[in-house]
């Protein structure tokens, strides 16, 4: 059983959730404001992906009054449609593949996820995302093939052997997880095909799979209301929520010293971070540290992402892949949470044009793929438009949010056999409209998606073409 508390109710009841908690007074007595500011900055960079993940999980699996609610924990929700501008919970949504979602609560026992046999030409994937936002496993066309099978998803405290009938055990570092299912849609006439695949996605507890009695149920969990994105930048309640989430995340060996440092400011599982108990000097130190974290993110984006040195997808992957690079993880969560690991999908993005100018619908742009130089994908590719600052799909009069490989037959070819895409607010003319991706009148960005990229993309042998501003 889960319930959603207001943040005020939760803060007033933190003593019940933080047995033996220290007081902020003890922390203030032993910690200088300058040190508190440094720790607050570090903990903000560390925690933003977790709080953003929690914000979405709450809307999907906890708050039944939320318009984005999908299903309770440990139940699959499938929607046989692609995302539109009306879907606002997740930034930079994919609008190529209908989604299914599973919120996995592994505290009582593992879950068994079963997938059907899927026709070879159709791409599908299950992306396993833990509370940190690490992509810790995959099932699907690339990772396990299109045959049917059952997989055991186990939490960090479960000990057991692989049961008969289970293809593999998938282990998570955290007790709460999100599994995102993507099922390729070829065109609107293919919706029934997607529905057939989605109907074959099954989830059950391990005890149910084995036909054994279930373990004792978990006691009711009271989930505090999440912070909205703007509040994450300045509200000290950020650390109250971070403490709540850390109880579901046994400390990884590589982070013991980091957690010990956070604990000096009462940021830890079982600690009571009380914003109301902070002295004025300590409260200012904490909020200044939070501001420092977001300033560092802006500098990272400007110097690394906007210049092309890094991509917005570099923070998607396993803990081992990221090597505890918390700033990169924060940037990826803020710019486009739940992106895939590179082997599953690549996201060459356009934030600037070929001359270095920021993209704006006051201008017109062209993206030209020379003959034989379309994005190299084993599954499919797409180019999707996002309005700024929301990073949501752009509502336009032709309801076209992307151009993808399924549209090849309707796109107009250049004389040499290549393709030129027109990115602008107004129509480029009737003869060019098949290749038109509408953009907003103001700032925007756009990204290529290459699902199941081929070796030439992974090795950097294929390069995304420049986005040219039209004079």
């Amino acid at each position: 059983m889960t319930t959603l508390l207001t943040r005020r109710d939760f803060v007033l009841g933190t003593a019940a959730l933080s047995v033996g908690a220290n007081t902020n007074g003890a922390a203030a007595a032993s910690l200088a404001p300058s040190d508190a500011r440094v720790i607050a900055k570090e903990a903000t960079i560390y925690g933003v992906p977790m709080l953003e993940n929690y914000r979405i999980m709450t809307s999907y699996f906890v708050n039944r009054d939320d318009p984005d609610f999908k299903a309770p924990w440990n139940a699959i929700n499938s929607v046989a449609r692609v995302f539109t501008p009306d879907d606002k919970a997740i930034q930079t949504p994919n609008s190529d593949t209908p989604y299914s979602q599973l919120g996995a609560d592994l505290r009582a026992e593992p879950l068994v996820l079963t997938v059907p046999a899927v026709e070879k030409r159709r791409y599908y994937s299950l992306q396993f995302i833990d509370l940190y936002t690490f992509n810790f496993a995959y099932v699907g066309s690339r990772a396990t093939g299109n045959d049917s099978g059952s997989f055991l998803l186990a939490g960090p405290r479960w000990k057991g052997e692989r049961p008969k009938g289970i293809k593999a055990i998938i282990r998570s570092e955290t007790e709460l997880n999100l599994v995102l299912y993507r099922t390729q849609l070829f065109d609107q006439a293919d919706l029934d095909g997607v529905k057939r695949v989605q109907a074959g996605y099954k989830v059950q507890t391990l005890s149910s799979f084995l036909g054994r009695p279930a373990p004792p149920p978990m006691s009711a969990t009271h989930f505090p209301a999440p912070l909205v994105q703007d509040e994450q930048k300045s509200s000290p309640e950020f650390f109250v929520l971070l403490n709540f989430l850390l109880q579901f995340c046994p400390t990884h060996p590589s982070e013991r010293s980091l957690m010990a440092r956070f604990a000096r400011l009462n940021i830890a599982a079982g600690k009571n971070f009380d914003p109301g108990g902070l002295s004025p000097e300590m409260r200012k130190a904490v909020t200044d540290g939070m501001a420092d974290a977001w300033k560092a993110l802006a500098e990272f984006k400007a110097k690394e992402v906007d210049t092309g040195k890094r991509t917005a997808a570099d923070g998607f992957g396993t803990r081992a892949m990221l090597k505890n690079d918390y700033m990169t993880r924060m940037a990826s969560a803020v710019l486009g949470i739940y992106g895939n690991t590179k082997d599953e999908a690549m996201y060459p993005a356009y934030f600037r044009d070929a001359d270095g100018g920021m993209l704006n619908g006051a201008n017109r742009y062209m993206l030209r793929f020379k003959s034989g130089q379309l994005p190299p994908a084993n599954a499919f590719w797409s180019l999707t438009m996002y309005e700024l600052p929301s990073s949501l799909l752009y509502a336009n009069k032709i309801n076209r949010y992307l151009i993808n490989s399924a549209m090849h037959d309707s796109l107009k070819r250049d004389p040499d056999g290549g393709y030129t895409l027109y990115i602008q607010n107004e129509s480029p003319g009737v003869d060019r409209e098949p290749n038109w991706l509408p953009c907003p009148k103001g700032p925007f960005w756009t990204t290529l998606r290459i699902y199941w990229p081929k070796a030439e993309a992974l090795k950097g042998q294929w390069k995304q073409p420049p986005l040219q501003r039209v004079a």
Side-chain angles (χ1 to χ4, degrees):
M1 177 182 178
T2 61
T3 57
L4 184 69
L5 295 178
T6 67
R7 287 196 300 278
R8 181 177 182 275
D9 288 339
F10 175 72
V11 171
L12 290 174
T14 48
L17 293 166
S18 306
V19 178
N22 293 340
T23 64
N24 282 337
S30 61
L31 191 66
S34 58
D35 293 332
R37 179 172 180 169
V38 172
I39 293 172
K41 173 186 176 181
E42 196 173 15
T44 300
I45 293 170
Y46 181 90
V48 162
M50 299 180 69
L51 264 73
E52 189 62 2
N53 192 8
Y54 177 70
R55 179 185 66 81
I56 296 165
M57 283 186 170
T58 302
S59 69
Y60 276 11
F61 311 121
V62 178
N63 185 3
R64 294 172 184 266
D65 295 325
D66 193 294
D68 287 309
F69 180 78
K70 307 300 181 187
W73 294 106
N74 299 344
I76 297 174
N77 170 78
S78 293
V79 181
R81 66 169 180 84
V82 292
F83 274 35
T84 73
D86 292 331
D87 297 285
K88 301 182 184 298
I90 297 179
Q91 313 96 294
T92 64
N94 156 359
S95 193
D96 297 283
T97 60
Y99 280 99
S100 304
Q101 301 92 0
L102 168 65
D105 183 346
L106 306 176
R107 289 174 292 169
E109 60 175 317
L111 297 177
V112 175
L113 282 62
T114 299
V115 296
V118 179
E119 62 265 44
K120 298 300 182 184
R121 74 189 187 106
R122 188 187 302 276
Y123 168 87
Y124 88 101
S125 69
L126 279 64
Q127 176 188 3
F128 293 77
I129 307 161
D130 66 17
L131 206 47
Y132 298 114
T133 68
F134 291 128
N135 297 332
F136 62 93
Y138 278 92
V139 166
S141 300
R142 178 196 62 85
T144 58
N146 280 34
D147 294 335
S148 62
S150 295
F151 300 83
L152 182 72
L153 175 58
R157 296 181 174 91
W158 182 79
K159 295 179 174 62
E161 301 297 325
R162 179 162 63 97
K164 184 178 180 180
I166 296 294
K167 279 193 169 185
I169 295 176
I170 298 171
R171 294 186 178 273
S172 172
E173 285 187 29
T174 64
E175 293 173 321
L176 300 181
N177 300 271
L178 171 63
V179 184
L180 282 182
Y181 297 64
R182 294 176 175 89
T183 309
Q184 185 177 3
L185 174 71
F186 299 119
D187 53 43
Q188 289 302 307
D190 182 43
L191 280 175
D192 285 342
V194 169
K195 290 177 182 178
R196 283 192 294 272
V197 175
Q198 290 179 331
Y201 296 143
K202 305 292 184 185
V203 62
Q204 58 192 133
T205 60
L206 177 58
S207 59
S208 175
F209 179 82
L210 297 175
R212 297 175 181 173
M218 298 292 298
S219 58
T221 301
H222 303 291
F223 288 88
L227 293 170
V228 300
Q229 289 166 306
D230 283 347
E231 291 174 325
Q232 292 178 22
K233 297 181 179 180
S234 59
S235 173
E237 289 185 18
F238 179 100
F239 302 108
V240 178
L241 284 176
L242 182 56
N243 283 2
F244 172 78
L245 296 178
L246 287 173
Q247 70 180 303
F248 305 113
C249 309
T251 299
H252 190 269
S254 68
E255 294 184 342
R256 285 174 184 153
S257 62
L258 180 72
M259 290 298 114
R261 200 155 60 247
F262 289 175
R264 296 180 63 203
L265 193 54
N266 278 338
I267 300 170
K271 296 281 189 180
N272 177 21
F273 185 93
D274 178 15
L278 295 171
S279 68
E281 294 80 11
M282 288 297 286
R283 186 179 181 91
K284 183 177 187 304
V286 167
T287 56
D288 285 350
M290 297 179 75
D292 292 342
W294 286 94
K295 180 180 178 182
L297 173 64
E299 292 172 352
F300 178 87
K301 181 179 179 295
K303 294 178 181 178
E304 301 293 327
V305 179
D306 292 350
T307 59
K309 294 178 183 177
R310 307 284 292 274
T311 75
D314 284 347
F316 303 136
T318 64
R319 179 186 291 278
M321 292 171 61
L322 269 66
K323 298 180 174 61
N324 291 357
D325 182 347
Y326 304 118
M327 175 52 73
T328 300
R329 189 175 77 184
M330 178 186 181
S332 293
V334 170
L335 296 174
I337 197 167
Y338 303 149
N340 280 287
T341 303
K342 188 176 182 180
D343 286 348
E344 194 70 33
M346 294 178 62
Y347 305 92
Y350 295 95
F351 291 96
R352 297 176 180 267
D353 61 33
D355 298 320
M358 300 299 289
L359 303 183
N360 193 294
N363 306 314
R364 294 177 294 150
Y365 304 90
M366 292 193 309
L367 185 64
R368 172 162 159 70
F369 296 102
K370 296 179 181 178
S371 179
Q373 290 297 307
L374 286 172
N378 286 300
F380 65 90
W381 64 267
S382 68
L383 178 73
T384 308
M385 174 62 57
Y386 297 107
E387 191 167 13
L388 285 173
S390 67
S391 284
L392 297 176
L393 297 170
Y394 166 60
N396 59 84
K397 59 188 177 184
I398 64 171
N399 296 323
R400 183 180 295 162
Y401 316 122
L402 56 81
I403 291 176
N404 65 18
S405 50
M407 300 165 64
H408 275 171
D409 292 343
S410 64
L411 295 177
K412 187 173 181 179
R413 284 180 176 266
D414 295 334
D416 70 347
Y419 296 90
T420 298
L421 307 184
Y422 302 95
I423 300 169
Q424 55 191 70
N425 181 253
E426 297 295 330
S427 169
V430 175
D431 60 328
R432 293 178 171 182
E433 279 192 356
N435 295 28
W436 174 35
L437 180 58
C439 71
K441 292 183 178 180
F444 69 91
W445 70 284
T446 184
T447 188
L448 282 166
R449 283 182 167 85
I450 308 174
Y451 274 87
W452 192 353
K454 293 183 177 179
E456 54 264 42
L458 291 169
K459 295 178 181 179
Q461 296 164 344
W462 175 88
K463 302 290 185 183
Q464 67 188 93
L467 185 62
Q468 301 284 355
R469 178 177 168 181
V470 179

